[in-house]
Amino acid sequence: MISLKRLLYLAPIAALSACLGADYEPMQFTSNGTEIVARGAIDAGTLDRFLDITERHPDARTLVLEMVEGSVDDEANLIFSREVRKRGFTTVVPSQGLIASGGTDLFLAGVTRQIAPGACVGVHSWGGDVEGRDVPRTDPVHQEYLSYYDVMGTPQAFYWFTLDAAGADEMHWMSTAEVARFGMTTAPAAGLASAAVCDAR
């Protein structure tokens, strides 16, 4: 599981990618013509691969997040996610699917958003020299993600929730009530998987 989500505090993005090295599977896409299925971690090459598959499948308007554990490049994740919103995609987490960390932020880019029963949705704090929860809320380091949530129509309270929910090396698996609390879906979500199931997945 990729545990680091956000930019290292006061460190270049490249440092985060270097820390993970080859210990992740870059996001790959497949399509049946109407849906695009995503698996793997978001990195600097994700947007190009996404643009390639959308060019080959122009009628696809649903992005199925089958197993997206996070990002190794937060800037690339925000750029990619904004493109998903710009193109008007629906985002879906299927019943055996999992999103976590930067993958959860990507899910929020959907114009319409669906989480199937049995899915896993994980959040945690960013880390680095310090953890996000320990950085004063007035610090400008928070602004990039607060601005992203504003664009996606997600309450800023969700960002602060992610920082407090779990440390950078941990994961908090959200409940159905928590998903509803922050308006993460455009249709009611029900019966999310337990933490034990998500940890094993």
Side-chain angles (χ1 to χ4, degrees), residues 8 19 21 27 36 41 59 76 90 95 104 107 110-112 121 125 147 153 157 191:
L8 290 177
C19 287
M27 181 172 282
I36 293 172
D59 294 331
T90 290
S95 60
T104 301
F107 170 75
V111 174
T112 55
V121 179
S125 176
S147 296

Side-chain angles (χ1 to χ4, degrees), residues 101-188:
S101 193
T104 301
D105 292 320
L106 169 61
F107 170 75
L108 297 173
V111 174
T112 55
R113 301 173 300 281
Q114 304 166 15
I115 300 175
C120 296
V121 179
V123 296
H124 64 170
S125 176
W126 53 263
D129 296 335
V130 296
E131 292 212 358
R133 68 180 74 182
D134 298 324
V135 179
R137 292 194 174 196
T138 54
D139 195 298
V141 73
H142 299 297
Q143 192 56 49
E144 186 170 24
Y145 265 86
L146 291 173
S147 296
Y148 172 77
Y149 292 135
D150 285 346
V151 169
M152 298 307 162
T154 301
Q156 291 188 356
F158 176 68
Y159 173 73
W160 306 117
F161 169 78
T162 68
L163 297 190
D164 292 333
D169 295 327
E170 304 168 322
M171 192 65 66
H172 170 74
W173 299 108
M174 295 183 70
S175 67
T176 303
E178 288 169 338
V179 166
R181 172 184 167 191
F182 297 108
M184 295 176 68
T185 60
T186 54

